[in-house]
Amino acid sequence: MKNRRPGGRQNKLLSLVSRLLSGVVLLLIAGALPWLSRTDPAAAVLRARYAELEPTPEALAAIREQLGLDGGPLASSLRWWSAVLRGDLGNSWVSGAEIGPGVWQAVSVSATLTAFAIIVALLVTSCLIAPAAVRALRGLEHRGSGPVGVALTALPEFLLASILLVIVSVQLRWLPPYGWTGLETAILPALALGIPAGGLLGRLLADAISGAGEEPWVNVWRLAGAGAPVILSGVLRRAAATTIDQLGLVFIGLLGGAVAVEQVFAIPGLGRYLLGSANAQDIPALQAGVLLMAGAAVLIGTLTALARRWLRGGPLPPGSLPPAPEARGDGRIARFTAIITCSALLAILAFGLPRDPYAIEHQRLAAPSLFLPFGADSSGRDLLARVAHGTLGTITPAVLIVLCAIIIGLLLAVLGDISRGPAEIANATPPILAGVIIAALMGPSVGGAALAVLWVTWPPLTAHAASLIDEARAMGHIRWLPLAGMSRFEIFTRHILPATLPALLRHGMLRLPGVALALAALGFLGLGAQPPMPEWGLLLAEGIGYVERAPWTTLTPAIALVLTSVCAVAVAGMRRAPQKPVRAMAKTAEPAPAGISGA
Amino acid sequence: MSRAVLEVAQVSATYGRGAKERQVLAPTTFEISAGESIAVVGASGSGKTTLAEMVLGLRAPSSGRINVQGHEWAAPHKLVCTERRRLVQGVPQDPAAALVPRWTIRQSMAHAIARLLPGESAEHLIAQATELAHFDPALLGRRPSQLSGGQAQRAALARALAVRPAVLVADEPTSALDPQTACAVSADLLATIALSGVALLLVTHDPQLAARCSRTVRICAPTQSRLN
Ligand SMILES: Nc1ncnc2c1ncn2[C@@H]1O[C@H](COP(=O)(O)OP(=O)(O)OP(=O)(O)O)[C@@H](O)[C@H]1O
Ligand SMILES: [Mg+2]
């Protein structure tokens, strides 16, 4: 029982050491990626470049030396970093060409796209926060951010991109469906990327503005005769200060979303570059792409930290993981929506599970009929069966991921501040980036995708577990249990765990739809489940090629995904008590809405 | 009474670490013999609860030494009491703290007996303790939330007495009760002590109750502490 709560200084030191250590380890791992690859890098290069050569030991050794792979992972990592510091990003394993020019061109494309997306996001944000600002200025009661914001964040980027592509480019033929040739090719991608981000930003800010508007100082200013612009700027600054950490995460989430959007619209940006090199297992190219993307994330993180300093007048106290964005809304509507969407998914399961998802027994691309309610796909397989089995194929790993995250969370929460550094890095990693790296190392698989999603799921659960365990330990009857002769182990397993598990499980269940969407996003990009396995993201990717001739191939998996997305947002909004919203509680327990957790 | 059951020698306590370290209990010294009762009084925040927790073995002192029946019990930053937990039991200010909410009173008592007095008949000990504590045996099957404040306080007392402690620590055991019940419970407490020969360390704000104890230890601001 003694030393239960280590004092401040030791705490600070521990989390500082943890952060530094995990930073250094991350850099070393980035440098040693070729060594972590499951395939022998030399053999991979040999196959790619000199298909006619036999993989004899001599040939392999020669290639290893040529690639600078001799000397083990640490040596090659250090060599890679010293080359990077000299501005040399190395040569591709596949083409043998220099990586630098290609990747920089991709970066410039992505930067342009992101700039457009940020413009869209800011437009959406200002539309969403305007009503809240007006209400705050007039001193009116607070209202939730409303259904518009929820609707805008309901769809993850890859889904919104596919839908825009189908409707605007294919059906209406207003804009070109893919490429990067002019302003007209940038509109749809910018919308697909900017709308969810703007919706999320707008919702966070609108709620924060309503909260700030209810604070007593606003009335004092008003009584003192301050004009509307003065009050408005005060309220905005206050709202930005309370949400700045979450805003930073939204912008970092843009980097991950960009990978999916670039893939859908065939834009030669950094995301597509990463996907391409992951598929080709071209590790040096992947390393360069990851380095630049991590650089962008660090840049955003630094800007966020600077903005926070300016807004709050001080650095972040050590060891405060930014809480995940949280949704608000009418509890009853949210519950109703969640129930409706869940029952629709259950209906698909009930009708589709008895059918065979693999049998090729229908006409190719057969239209929906009474006998074949969802139609057939391009190989003549029953789409209802495939979507239903895809539900299982997506939800089952999602449940496993959440359970693993809970177990990891409990273990790390017991260890305490040691996990601070990895948790911060993991919390800021877009799941798609983690998926790309894992797929490049191990080849694409359901397990790899699950690992990537797990990587971003454990930090919030760990933070929640830690606070729940602290709470339980402070409970009177648990503090006094040693008097009854109980060992610390027994107290933990029989009293602290039972007191924390229900809340943790509930939190995990709330995250389930978001986790499922993240998995589907990876499947859609080809980083997860492989054909012919039925999986939502994969089904959508397979269908999108036939969208003109047979729209149902795209629509049916999209419906399942939309149902899940809506369910995710509704479930996230359900946590609010319907009567009186509690404000400004630094909760790490809220699940992230689909918008940023999905892609 | 040659030998003291409980010896507290120059015990002090601090919270926090490093620059934030703050002394909350000045070095305190006293002894209790069997059958004796000592009242600990002092202003709010003077460290009475902290002292009680250290005697109970829930917190290590930052200096000084505590002995129970001549054996070392706690040394600076070290608790060595795990072997002889039974010897010091307590009644908390909030009786719920001594009882596990989802267990019945009987279960709480039986679990403690099974661990601290293995081999003894739980039924017999429970019957003895409920009688000593004036706790109605008909309520043994209830959970703490199903008892009134006075009943719960008596249940906590019975739970503490069930393992035959040598020292009983009571931290403002009646402050959550109405005056009448408080009077009855504290009268029972003192009578029980006289009957069972347990040494009592009673933290209280009530001067009348303190006057009925054998001696009073007054704890002052964390600069001095003297024995009356
Ligand atoms: N966990 C803690 N961390 C830091 N300081 C604490 C902690 N718990 C108690 N203190 C401080 O220790 C001092 C002594 O607390 P304690 O609970 O022993 O007082 P007390 O004499 O029992 O007061 P009361 O009569 O009000 O119950 C107080 O100043 C309190 O603020
Ligand atoms: Mg106290």
Side-chain angles (χ1 to χ4, degrees), chain A residues 47-390:
Chain A
R47 250 198 332 274
R49 270 200 233 161
Y50 317 98
E52 71 283 2
L53 265 186
E54 283 290 309
T56 56
E58 298 82 61
L60 288 177
I63 290 205
R64 259 187 213 118
E65 197 175 346
Q66 188 191 335
L67 296 176
L69 282 173
D70 45 337
L74 188 64
S76 63
S77 177
L78 293 177
R79 212 173 310 143
W80 184 74
W81 274 107
S82 70
V84 165
L85 292 181
R86 276 181 277 118
D88 174 14
L89 287 171
N91 289 49
S92 160
W93 280 0
V94 174
S95 65
E98 245 185 88
I99 288 173
V103 76
W104 279 114
Q105 197 176 354
V107 166
S108 73
V109 170
S110 281
T112 318
L113 172 60
T114 314
F116 281 127
I118 288 180
I119 293 175
V120 172
L122 291 182
L123 285 178
V124 172
T125 307
S126 33
C127 293
L128 281 179
I129 64 174
V134 170
R135 292 185 81 81
L137 274 187
R138 297 212 182 120
L140 294 175
E141 257 300 286
H142 155 82
R143 259 201 313 209
S145 48
V148 183
V150 175
L152 288 181
T153 41
L155 300 181
E157 291 89 348
F158 77 97
L159 197 53
L160 184 60
S162 311
I163 292 174
L164 283 176
L165 178 77
V166 169
I167 296 178
V168 180
S169 301
V170 177
Q171 303 288 336
L172 300 174
R173 295 181 192 280
W174 285 352
L175 290 168
Y178 46 76
W180 187 253
T181 47
L183 193 59
E184 72 274 8
T185 50
I187 295 176
L188 286 185
L191 286 178
L193 202 51
I195 287 178
L200 198 52
L201 283 177
R203 259 167 61 191
L204 288 170
L205 274 175
D207 287 344
I209 286 174
S210 308
E214 283 169 19
E215 286 173 353
W217 60 267
V218 179
N219 254 333
V220 176
W221 282 25
R222 206 174 283 133
L223 289 177
V230 178
I231 294 182
L232 187 63
S233 73
V235 167
L236 278 181
R237 184 172 167 153
R238 177 95 184 94
T242 56
T243 48
I244 182 74
D245 295 319
Q246 295 154 337
L247 302 191
L249 283 183
V250 173
F251 282 117
I252 290 181
L254 271 184
L255 298 176
V259 179
V261 170
E262 286 172 12
Q263 178 70 3
V264 172
F265 293 105
I267 295 168
L270 187 57
R272 206 146 169 269
Y273 185 89
L274 273 175
L275 275 180
S277 44
N279 282 334
Q281 307 217 321
D282 188 355
I283 306 286
L286 181 84
Q287 274 178 302
V290 168
L291 180 71
L292 292 174
M293 198 166 261
V298 168
L299 186 69
I300 294 174
T302 313
L303 289 178
T304 312
L306 285 179
R308 185 196 304 117
R309 231 168 215 279
W310 177 70
L311 287 165
R312 290 192 192 159
L316 188 68
S320 46
L321 202 62
E326 57 178 72
R328 292 162 163 247
D330 188 332
R332 249 184 344 192
I333 295 181
R335 196 156 315 201
F336 183 69
T337 317
I339 291 174
I340 294 275
T341 47
C342 274
S343 355
L345 282 174
L346 284 179
I348 293 181
L349 276 181
F351 288 107
L353 276 188
R355 306 162 83 107
D356 184 351
Y358 295 108
I360 302 177
E361 52 189 13
H362 306 280
Q363 203 191 332
R364 293 184 65 228
L365 299 176
S369 63
L370 202 59
F371 172 65
L372 211 56
F374 281 11
D377 73 355
S378 55
S379 334
R381 291 171 295 198
D382 180 355
L383 266 173
L384 175 57
R386 287 187 72 70
V387 171
H389 283 264

Side-chain angles (χ1 to χ4, degrees), chain B residues 147-226:
Chain B
L147 298 178
S148 77
Q151 287 168 343
Q153 201 53 269
R154 285 199 168 92
L157 180 59
R159 142 76 192 83
L161 292 175
V163 292
R164 297 216 191 106
V167 179
L168 187 72
V169 179
D171 186 3
E172 304 187 42
T174 58
S175 63
L177 305 177
D178 66 272
Q180 247 173 338
T181 323
C183 233
V185 169
S186 42
D188 286 347
L189 179 67
L190 290 174
T192 304
I193 295 308
L195 212 68
S196 61
V198 177
L200 175 71
L201 184 75
L202 176 68
V203 175
T204 183
H205 277 294
D206 180 355
Q208 284 176 351
L209 192 55
R212 286 158 70 187
C213 294
S214 329
R215 278 181 294 146
T216 300
V217 175
R218 183 171 298 280
I219 295 183
C220 305
T223 38
Q224 59 186 100
S225 155
R226 66 179 193 276

